[in-house]
Amino acid sequence: MSSTILIVDDDPHIRQLLVFAFGKAGLDTIEAANGEAALAQVERHAPDLVILDINMPRMDGLEVCRRLRAGSDVPIFFLSPRDDEIDRVLGIELGGDDYVVKPFSPREVVARSLAILRRTAARPPAVENVSVLRHGRLSLDPESWTTHWRDQEVSLTVTEFTILRTLLAMPSRIFSRDNIIDRFRGSGFALTDRTVDSHVRNVRRKFADAGGSDVIETRAGVGYRMGACAGVPVTS
């Protein structure tokens, strides 16, 4: 069954270019010219991927992403109007999966979108003989895709959850950023070291808000591993 791509941009020319490019790749597309229409299209059609322009009038792409992430894990690919680090990091920390800066190659957007679709279609890594993973005050349930700090649930995006599960499955191991990317994204996914860092910062912030300031440790020049999860601060 063909995947459906929602293309959200207030510029009809950009939508037309992407509709044509995705059509050549054999993918179905639907369109939205603004944020409100995008949310309605997601509700109506449940697309497999959203291509989302950041700079739109009335409701920008970051706000659309924020609202989608309140109740959906649909992958989001940002189109940014400028090479701006704030837009990039904020977009990823809100739960975006990738981004490209305008002007862009439609073929590149299609190729990177296909990589995201391959990742989301793949089964999550199996956790053998374990229903709930526990480490200190942290628990993670791979079956229900939920995480808790003590008795408080901590809501994570699919990407954040998968990073945490990767580390938690082998809490004494140090994972490089490449290890993390390969572990759950698969080869060919356009994910950068900086993107992994943004997701890790987001996981840390969410657990810190719940009282867990020692969930993930940074090993300088190497990567990340699980912290003690005892509820005390660590130096990152």
Side-chain angles (χ1 to χ4, degrees):
M1 183 179 297
S2 177
S3 297
T4 299
I5 312 298
L6 171 58
I7 300 169
V8 187
D9 199 299
D10 59 326
D11 187 335
H13 176 63
I14 289 178
R15 297 201 308 271
Q16 183 180 16
L17 284 176
L18 291 176
V19 165
F20 179 76
F22 279 111
K24 287 186 65 176
L27 299 172
D28 297 329
T29 55
I30 52 178
E31 301 177 48
N34 56 62
E36 293 90 341
L39 296 174
Q41 289 284 50
V42 170
E43 182 72 21
R44 185 177 302 116
H45 297 285
D48 300 287
L49 174 69
V50 177
I51 307 294
L52 183 58
D53 182 29
I54 287 180
N55 189 22
M56 294 187 295
R58 298 204 307 272
M59 184 187 298
D60 66 19
L62 297 178
E63 178 60 24
V64 174
C65 178
R66 187 178 292 108
R67 296 193 185 191
L68 287 176
R69 281 292 169 260
S72 172
D73 288 318
V74 61
I76 296 173
F77 190 128
F78 282 112
L79 305 178
S80 177
R82 57 189 182 277
D83 190 3
D84 191 313
E85 184 65 20
I86 295 176
D87 276 351
R88 292 180 178 186
V89 174
L90 181 56
I92 295 299
E93 289 185 347
L94 279 173
D97 292 81
D98 202 356
Y99 59 82
V100 70
V101 176
K102 297 178 179 180
F104 54 79
S105 162
R107 291 179 61 185
E108 179 185 1
V109 172
V110 170
R112 291 164 70 167
S113 296
L114 288 171
I116 295 174
L117 291 171
R118 286 195 298 270
R119 184 264 302 175
T120 55
R123 293 183 177 180
V127 180
E128 298 181 0
N129 302 320
V130 176
S131 56
V132 177
L133 297 172
R134 302 182 188 279
H135 187 67
R137 298 181 178 182
L138 182 147
S139 63
L140 179 150
D141 188 342
E143 293 295 324
S144 65
W145 286 73
T146 57
T147 55
H148 288 79
W149 181 260
R150 305 183 77 174
D151 296 327
Q152 179 178 345
E153 182 172 353
V154 178
S155 179
L156 302 178
T157 68
V158 170
T159 302
E160 294 162 1
F161 184 93
T162 308
I163 288 176
L164 186 61
R165 179 174 56 182
T166 297
L167 299 176
L168 188 53
M170 291 182 277
S172 63
R173 175 179 171 179
I174 300 174
F175 287 82
S176 70
R177 293 164 180 83
D178 286 341
N179 290 154
I180 292 172
I181 292 169
D182 294 342
R183 188 83 176 181
F184 75 103
R185 290 292 191 181
S187 60
F189 183 73
L191 188 70
T192 67
D193 290 356
R194 189 173 298 171
T195 304
V196 172
D197 293 343
S198 293
H199 285 300
V200 168
R201 284 197 299 272
N202 214 29
V203 171
R204 284 173 168 162
R205 177 184 58 78
K206 290 180 177 182
F207 277 95
D209 289 345
S213 301
D214 57 342
V215 170
I216 298 177
E217 293 181 1
T218 298
R219 291 304 176 99
V222 184
Y224 298 107
R225 78 170 184 179
M226 291 301 301
C229 294
V232 295
V234 295
T235 301
S236 61

PDB file of all heavy atoms in Angstrom, residues 145-172:
ATOM      1  N   TRP A 145       4.693   1.578  25.172  1.00  0.00           N
ATOM      2  CA  TRP A 145       5.445   2.769  24.776  1.00  0.00           C
ATOM      3  C   TRP A 145       5.253   3.889  25.804  1.00  0.00           C
ATOM      4  O   TRP A 145       4.978   5.037  25.469  1.00  0.00           O
ATOM      5  CB  TRP A 145       5.037   3.244  23.374  1.00  0.00           C
ATOM      6  CG  TRP A 145       5.577   2.374  22.287  1.00  0.00           C
ATOM      7  CD1 TRP A 145       5.150   1.121  21.951  1.00  0.00           C
ATOM      8  CD2 TRP A 145       6.667   2.674  21.407  1.00  0.00           C
ATOM      9  NE1 TRP A 145       5.911   0.624  20.910  1.00  0.00           N
ATOM     10  CE2 TRP A 145       6.835   1.558  20.552  1.00  0.00           C
ATOM     11  CE3 TRP A 145       7.497   3.790  21.240  1.00  0.00           C
ATOM     12  CZ2 TRP A 145       7.817   1.510  19.572  1.00  0.00           C
ATOM     13  CZ3 TRP A 145       8.475   3.744  20.254  1.00  0.00           C
ATOM     14  CH2 TRP A 145       8.627   2.617  19.434  1.00  0.00           C
ATOM     15  N   THR A 146       5.397   3.536  27.075  1.00  0.00           N
ATOM     16  CA  THR A 146       5.274   4.529  28.143  1.00  0.00           C
ATOM     17  C   THR A 146       6.525   4.501  29.015  1.00  0.00           C
ATOM     18  O   THR A 146       7.188   3.463  29.155  1.00  0.00           O
ATOM     19  CB  THR A 146       4.043   4.265  29.031  1.00  0.00           C
ATOM     20  OG1 THR A 146       4.115   2.939  29.569  1.00  0.00           O
ATOM     21  CG2 THR A 146       2.766   4.423  28.232  1.00  0.00           C
ATOM     22  N   THR A 147       6.835   5.644  29.606  1.00  0.00           N
ATOM     23  CA  THR A 147       7.958   5.748  30.539  1.00  0.00           C
ATOM     24  C   THR A 147       7.476   6.453  31.796  1.00  0.00           C
ATOM     25  O   THR A 147       6.597   7.325  31.745  1.00  0.00           O
ATOM     26  CB  THR A 147       9.125   6.554  29.931  1.00  0.00           C
ATOM     27  OG1 THR A 147       8.650   7.838  29.507  1.00  0.00           O
ATOM     28  CG2 THR A 147       9.725   5.824  28.746  1.00  0.00           C
ATOM     29  N   HIS A 148       8.069   6.058  32.922  1.00  0.00           N
ATOM     30  CA  HIS A 148       7.696   6.659  34.206  1.00  0.00           C
ATOM     31  C   HIS A 148       8.945   6.995  35.010  1.00  0.00           C
ATOM     32  O   HIS A 148       9.956   6.265  34.950  1.00  0.00           O
ATOM     33  CB  HIS A 148       6.829   5.707  35.037  1.00  0.00           C
ATOM     34  CG  HIS A 148       5.437   5.534  34.520  1.00  0.00           C
ATOM     35  ND1 HIS A 148       5.136   4.705  33.456  1.00  0.00           N
ATOM     36  CD2 HIS A 148       4.260   6.100  34.919  1.00  0.00           C
ATOM     37  CE1 HIS A 148       3.829   4.762  33.229  1.00  0.00           C
ATOM     38  NE2 HIS A 148       3.278   5.584  34.097  1.00  0.00           N
ATOM     39  N   TRP A 149       8.882   8.092  35.740  1.00  0.00           N
ATOM     40  CA  TRP A 149       9.867   8.417  36.772  1.00  0.00           C
ATOM     41  C   TRP A 149       9.154   8.253  38.102  1.00  0.00           C
ATOM     42  O   TRP A 149       8.236   8.996  38.396  1.00  0.00           O
ATOM     43  CB  TRP A 149      10.399   9.832  36.594  1.00  0.00           C
ATOM     44  CG  TRP A 149      11.418  10.179  37.630  1.00  0.00           C
ATOM     45  CD1 TRP A 149      11.241  10.907  38.768  1.00  0.00           C
ATOM     46  CD2 TRP A 149      12.795   9.785  37.629  1.00  0.00           C
ATOM     47  NE1 TRP A 149      12.408  10.997  39.467  1.00  0.00           N
ATOM     48  CE2 TRP A 149      13.390  10.320  38.799  1.00  0.00           C
ATOM     49  CE3 TRP A 149      13.580   9.033  36.753  1.00  0.00           C
ATOM     50  CZ2 TRP A 149      14.737  10.127  39.099  1.00  0.00           C
ATOM     51  CZ3 TRP A 149      14.917   8.845  37.055  1.00  0.00           C
ATOM     52  CH2 TRP A 149      15.480   9.376  38.219  1.00  0.00           C
ATOM     53  N   ARG A 150       9.538   7.229  38.823  1.00  0.00           N
ATOM     54  CA  ARG A 150       8.786   6.794  40.000  1.00  0.00           C
ATOM     55  C   ARG A 150       7.350   6.504  39.549  1.00  0.00           C
ATOM     56  O   ARG A 150       7.120   5.636  38.726  1.00  0.00           O
ATOM     57  CB  ARG A 150       8.874   7.819  41.123  1.00  0.00           C
ATOM     58  CG  ARG A 150      10.330   8.154  41.495  1.00  0.00           C
ATOM     59  CD  ARG A 150      10.469   9.104  42.632  1.00  0.00           C
ATOM     60  NE  ARG A 150      10.237   8.462  43.933  1.00  0.00           N
ATOM     61  CZ  ARG A 150      10.411   9.066  45.093  1.00  0.00           C
ATOM     62  NH1 ARG A 150      10.806  10.325  45.120  1.00  0.00           N
ATOM     63  NH2 ARG A 150      10.204   8.431  46.222  1.00  0.00           N
ATOM     64  N   ASP A 151       6.358   7.223  40.058  1.00  0.00           N
ATOM     65  CA  ASP A 151       4.971   6.958  39.674  1.00  0.00           C
ATOM     66  C   ASP A 151       4.440   7.950  38.650  1.00  0.00           C
ATOM     67  O   ASP A 151       3.275   7.893  38.280  1.00  0.00           O
ATOM     68  CB  ASP A 151       4.069   6.985  40.915  1.00  0.00           C
ATOM     69  CG  ASP A 151       4.407   5.873  41.889  1.00  0.00           C
ATOM     70  OD1 ASP A 151       4.805   4.791  41.432  1.00  0.00           O
ATOM     71  OD2 ASP A 151       4.275   6.097  43.107  1.00  0.00           O
ATOM     72  N   GLN A 152       5.307   8.847  38.187  1.00  0.00           N
ATOM     73  CA  GLN A 152       4.858   9.896  37.272  1.00  0.00           C
ATOM     74  C   GLN A 152       5.210   9.547  35.832  1.00  0.00           C
ATOM     75  O   GLN A 152       6.364   9.274  35.504  1.00  0.00           O
ATOM     76  CB  GLN A 152       5.494  11.237  37.649  1.00  0.00           C
ATOM     77  CG  GLN A 152       5.089  12.390  36.734  1.00  0.00           C
ATOM     78  CD  GLN A 152       5.709  13.706  37.167  1.00  0.00           C
ATOM     79  OE1 GLN A 152       6.221  13.824  38.285  1.00  0.00           O
ATOM     80  NE2 GLN A 152       5.669  14.699  36.299  1.00  0.00           N
ATOM     81  N   GLU A 153       4.206   9.543  34.948  1.00  0.00           N
ATOM     82  CA  GLU A 153       4.470   9.254  33.544  1.00  0.00           C
ATOM     83  C   GLU A 153       5.159  10.442  32.891  1.00  0.00           C
ATOM     84  O   GLU A 153       4.809  11.600  33.129  1.00  0.00           O
ATOM     85  CB  GLU A 153       3.178   8.932  32.791  1.00  0.00           C
ATOM     86  CG  GLU A 153       3.435   8.574  31.326  1.00  0.00           C
ATOM     87  CD  GLU A 153       2.201   8.059  30.600  1.00  0.00           C
ATOM     88  OE1 GLU A 153       1.162   7.859  31.267  1.00  0.00           O
ATOM     89  OE2 GLU A 153       2.289   7.865  29.372  1.00  0.00           O
ATOM     90  N   VAL A 154       6.167  10.136  32.056  1.00  0.00           N
ATOM     91  CA  VAL A 154       6.893  11.153  31.304  1.00  0.00           C
ATOM     92  C   VAL A 154       6.628  10.900  29.825  1.00  0.00           C
ATOM     93  O   VAL A 154       6.972   9.840  29.292  1.00  0.00           O
ATOM     94  CB  VAL A 154       8.405  11.090  31.594  1.00  0.00           C
ATOM     95  CG1 VAL A 154       9.152  12.127  30.767  1.00  0.00           C
ATOM     96  CG2 VAL A 154       8.671  11.295  33.088  1.00  0.00           C
ATOM     97  N   SER A 155       5.990  11.842  29.168  1.00  0.00           N
ATOM     98  CA  SER A 155       5.593  11.673  27.777  1.00  0.00           C
ATOM     99  C   SER A 155       6.766  11.959  26.845  1.00  0.00           C
ATOM    100  O   SER A 155       7.371  13.035  26.899  1.00  0.00           O
ATOM    101  CB  SER A 155       4.417  12.602  27.452  1.00  0.00           C
ATOM    102  OG  SER A 155       4.040  12.476  26.107  1.00  0.00           O
ATOM    103  N   LEU A 156       7.088  10.982  25.980  1.00  0.00           N
ATOM    104  CA  LEU A 156       8.182  11.123  25.025  1.00  0.00           C
ATOM    105  C   LEU A 156       7.664  10.923  23.608  1.00  0.00           C
ATOM    106  O   LEU A 156       6.700  10.200  23.383  1.00  0.00           O
ATOM    107  CB  LEU A 156       9.278  10.089  25.300  1.00  0.00           C
ATOM    108  CG  LEU A 156       9.927  10.075  26.678  1.00  0.00           C
ATOM    109  CD1 LEU A 156      10.954   8.946  26.746  1.00  0.00           C
ATOM    110  CD2 LEU A 156      10.592  11.411  26.988  1.00  0.00           C
ATOM    111  N   THR A 157       8.337  11.550  22.646  1.00  0.00           N
ATOM    112  CA  THR A 157       8.047  11.257  21.252  1.00  0.00           C
ATOM    113  C   THR A 157       8.617   9.882  20.909  1.00  0.00           C
ATOM    114  O   THR A 157       9.396   9.291  21.681  1.00  0.00           O
ATOM    115  CB  THR A 157       8.677  12.300  20.323  1.00  0.00           C
ATOM    116  OG1 THR A 157      10.111  12.177  20.378  1.00  0.00           O
ATOM    117  CG2 THR A 157       8.271  13.720  20.725  1.00  0.00           C
ATOM    118  N   VAL A 158       8.245   9.357  19.742  1.00  0.00           N
ATOM    119  CA  VAL A 158       8.760   8.054  19.316  1.00  0.00           C
ATOM    120  C   VAL A 158      10.285   8.064  19.255  1.00  0.00           C
ATOM    121  O   VAL A 158      10.955   7.125  19.701  1.00  0.00           O
ATOM    122  CB  VAL A 158       8.169   7.665  17.943  1.00  0.00           C
ATOM    123  CG1 VAL A 158       8.872   6.437  17.377  1.00  0.00           C
ATOM    124  CG2 VAL A 158       6.673   7.392  18.068  1.00  0.00           C
ATOM    125  N   THR A 159      10.858   9.128  18.719  1.00  0.00           N
ATOM    126  CA  THR A 159      12.314   9.215  18.604  1.00  0.00           C
ATOM    127  C   THR A 159      12.963   9.247  19.980  1.00  0.00           C
ATOM    128  O   THR A 159      13.950   8.546  20.236  1.00  0.00           O
ATOM    129  CB  THR A 159      12.714  10.458  17.800  1.00  0.00           C
ATOM    130  OG1 THR A 159      12.108  10.400  16.509  1.00  0.00           O
ATOM    131  CG2 THR A 159      14.234  10.533  17.629  1.00  0.00           C
ATOM    132  N   GLU A 160      12.434  10.064  20.880  1.00  0.00           N
ATOM    133  CA  GLU A 160      12.986  10.149  22.231  1.00  0.00           C
ATOM    134  C   GLU A 160      12.862   8.809  22.953  1.00  0.00           C
ATOM    135  O   GLU A 160      13.804   8.363  23.624  1.00  0.00           O
ATOM    136  CB  GLU A 160      12.252  11.237  23.018  1.00  0.00           C
ATOM    137  CG  GLU A 160      12.472  12.637  22.492  1.00  0.00           C
ATOM    138  CD  GLU A 160      11.437  13.633  22.970  1.00  0.00           C
ATOM    139  OE1 GLU A 160      10.527  13.256  23.744  1.00  0.00           O
ATOM    140  OE2 GLU A 160      11.524  14.803  22.553  1.00  0.00           O
ATOM    141  N   PHE A 161      11.708   8.164  22.815  1.00  0.00           N
ATOM    142  CA  PHE A 161      11.484   6.872  23.458  1.00  0.00           C
ATOM    143  C   PHE A 161      12.494   5.835  22.962  1.00  0.00           C
ATOM    144  O   PHE A 161      13.060   5.068  23.745  1.00  0.00           O
ATOM    145  CB  PHE A 161      10.058   6.398  23.173  1.00  0.00           C
ATOM    146  CG  PHE A 161       9.672   5.119  23.865  1.00  0.00           C
ATOM    147  CD1 PHE A 161       9.040   5.140  25.101  1.00  0.00           C
ATOM    148  CD2 PHE A 161       9.945   3.885  23.281  1.00  0.00           C
ATOM    149  CE1 PHE A 161       8.685   3.955  25.746  1.00  0.00           C
ATOM    150  CE2 PHE A 161       9.593   2.706  23.915  1.00  0.00           C
ATOM    151  CZ  PHE A 161       8.964   2.737  25.149  1.00  0.00           C
ATOM    152  N   THR A 162      12.737   5.824  21.657  1.00  0.00           N
ATOM    153  CA  THR A 162      13.636   4.824  21.077  1.00  0.00           C
ATOM    154  C   THR A 162      15.075   5.047  21.512  1.00  0.00           C
ATOM    155  O   THR A 162      15.810   4.089  21.769  1.00  0.00           O
ATOM    156  CB  THR A 162      13.520   4.828  19.549  1.00  0.00           C
ATOM    157  OG1 THR A 162      12.148   4.704  19.175  1.00  0.00           O
ATOM    158  CG2 THR A 162      14.301   3.670  18.945  1.00  0.00           C
ATOM    159  N   ILE A 163      15.501   6.303  21.604  1.00  0.00           N
ATOM    160  CA  ILE A 163      16.845   6.582  22.114  1.00  0.00           C
ATOM    161  C   ILE A 163      16.970   6.092  23.549  1.00  0.00           C
ATOM    162  O   ILE A 163      17.951   5.420  23.911  1.00  0.00           O
ATOM    163  CB  ILE A 163      17.153   8.089  22.033  1.00  0.00           C
ATOM    164  CG1 ILE A 163      17.360   8.515  20.576  1.00  0.00           C
ATOM    165  CG2 ILE A 163      18.401   8.435  22.858  1.00  0.00           C
ATOM    166  CD1 ILE A 163      17.566  10.006  20.400  1.00  0.00           C
ATOM    167  N   LEU A 164      15.982   6.415  24.382  1.00  0.00           N
ATOM    168  CA  LEU A 164      16.050   6.000  25.781  1.00  0.00           C
ATOM    169  C   LEU A 164      16.033   4.484  25.903  1.00  0.00           C
ATOM    170  O   LEU A 164      16.777   3.911  26.703  1.00  0.00           O
ATOM    171  CB  LEU A 164      14.877   6.608  26.557  1.00  0.00           C
ATOM    172  CG  LEU A 164      14.891   6.368  28.072  1.00  0.00           C
ATOM    173  CD1 LEU A 164      16.135   6.990  28.700  1.00  0.00           C
ATOM    174  CD2 LEU A 164      13.634   6.944  28.715  1.00  0.00           C
ATOM    175  N   ARG A 165      15.195   3.807  25.119  1.00  0.00           N
ATOM    176  CA  ARG A 165      15.144   2.348  25.182  1.00  0.00           C
ATOM    177  C   ARG A 165      16.466   1.729  24.728  1.00  0.00           C
ATOM    178  O   ARG A 165      16.934   0.743  25.307  1.00  0.00           O
ATOM    179  CB  ARG A 165      13.999   1.808  24.320  1.00  0.00           C
ATOM    180  CG  ARG A 165      13.916   0.283  24.343  1.00  0.00           C
ATOM    181  CD  ARG A 165      12.704  -0.243  23.621  1.00  0.00           C
ATOM    182  NE  ARG A 165      12.643   0.221  22.255  1.00  0.00           N
ATOM    183  CZ  ARG A 165      11.652  -0.067  21.430  1.00  0.00           C
ATOM    184  NH1 ARG A 165      10.624  -0.800  21.848  1.00  0.00           N
ATOM    185  NH2 ARG A 165      11.653   0.382  20.193  1.00  0.00           N
ATOM    186  N   THR A 166      17.098   2.313  23.715  1.00  0.00           N
ATOM    187  CA  THR A 166      18.389   1.815  23.254  1.00  0.00           C
ATOM    188  C   THR A 166      19.415   1.867  24.377  1.00  0.00           C
ATOM    189  O   THR A 166      20.148   0.898  24.618  1.00  0.00           O
ATOM    190  CB  THR A 166      18.876   2.650  22.055  1.00  0.00           C
ATOM    191  OG1 THR A 166      17.957   2.501  20.970  1.00  0.00           O
ATOM    192  CG2 THR A 166      20.259   2.209  21.604  1.00  0.00           C
ATOM    193  N   LEU A 167      19.470   2.987  25.097  1.00  0.00           N
ATOM    194  CA  LEU A 167      20.425   3.119  26.196  1.00  0.00           C
ATOM    195  C   LEU A 167      20.054   2.210  27.362  1.00  0.00           C
ATOM    196  O   LEU A 167      20.921   1.588  27.983  1.00  0.00           O
ATOM    197  CB  LEU A 167      20.470   4.573  26.669  1.00  0.00           C
ATOM    198  CG  LEU A 167      20.900   5.631  25.650  1.00  0.00           C
ATOM    199  CD1 LEU A 167      20.797   7.025  26.258  1.00  0.00           C
ATOM    200  CD2 LEU A 167      22.302   5.368  25.134  1.00  0.00           C
ATOM    201  N   LEU A 168      18.764   2.113  27.652  1.00  0.00           N
ATOM    202  CA  LEU A 168      18.314   1.374  28.824  1.00  0.00           C
ATOM    203  C   LEU A 168      18.467  -0.133  28.658  1.00  0.00           C
ATOM    204  O   LEU A 168      18.637  -0.853  29.639  1.00  0.00           O
ATOM    205  CB  LEU A 168      16.851   1.722  29.115  1.00  0.00           C
ATOM    206  CG  LEU A 168      16.227   1.212  30.417  1.00  0.00           C
ATOM    207  CD1 LEU A 168      17.080   1.604  31.612  1.00  0.00           C
ATOM    208  CD2 LEU A 168      14.821   1.769  30.564  1.00  0.00           C
ATOM    209  N   ALA A 169      18.408  -0.618  27.416  1.00  0.00           N
ATOM    210  CA  ALA A 169      18.561  -2.059  27.183  1.00  0.00           C
ATOM    211  C   ALA A 169      19.949  -2.536  27.596  1.00  0.00           C
ATOM    212  O   ALA A 169      20.123  -3.703  27.973  1.00  0.00           O
ATOM    213  CB  ALA A 169      18.304  -2.383  25.711  1.00  0.00           C
ATOM    214  N   MET A 170      20.962  -1.655  27.534  1.00  0.00           N
ATOM    215  CA  MET A 170      22.329  -1.978  27.957  1.00  0.00           C
ATOM    216  C   MET A 170      22.874  -0.784  28.739  1.00  0.00           C
ATOM    217  O   MET A 170      23.668  -0.001  28.215  1.00  0.00           O
ATOM    218  CB  MET A 170      23.204  -2.304  26.743  1.00  0.00           C
ATOM    219  CG  MET A 170      22.846  -3.605  26.061  1.00  0.00           C
ATOM    220  SD  MET A 170      23.916  -4.014  24.648  1.00  0.00           S
ATOM    221  CE  MET A 170      23.124  -3.031  23.376  1.00  0.00           C
ATOM    222  N   PRO A 171      22.456  -0.621  29.988  1.00  0.00           N
ATOM    223  CA  PRO A 171      22.734   0.620  30.728  1.00  0.00           C
ATOM    224  C   PRO A 171      24.205   0.874  31.019  1.00  0.00           C
ATOM    225  O   PRO A 171      24.578   2.019  31.283  1.00  0.00           O
ATOM    226  CB  PRO A 171      21.935   0.439  32.024  1.00  0.00           C
ATOM    227  CG  PRO A 171      21.708  -1.029  32.156  1.00  0.00           C
ATOM    228  CD  PRO A 171      21.602  -1.548  30.750  1.00  0.00           C
ATOM    229  N   SER A 172      25.041  -0.143  30.974  1.00  0.00           N
ATOM    230  CA  SER A 172      26.465   0.080  31.247  1.00  0.00           C
ATOM    231  C   SER A 172      27.253   0.412  29.982  1.00  0.00           C
ATOM    232  O   SER A 172      28.413   0.822  30.059  1.00  0.00           O
ATOM    233  CB  SER A 172      27.076  -1.152  31.910  1.00  0.00           C
ATOM    234  OG  SER A 172      27.005  -2.271  31.044  1.00  0.00           O
TER     235      SER A 172
END
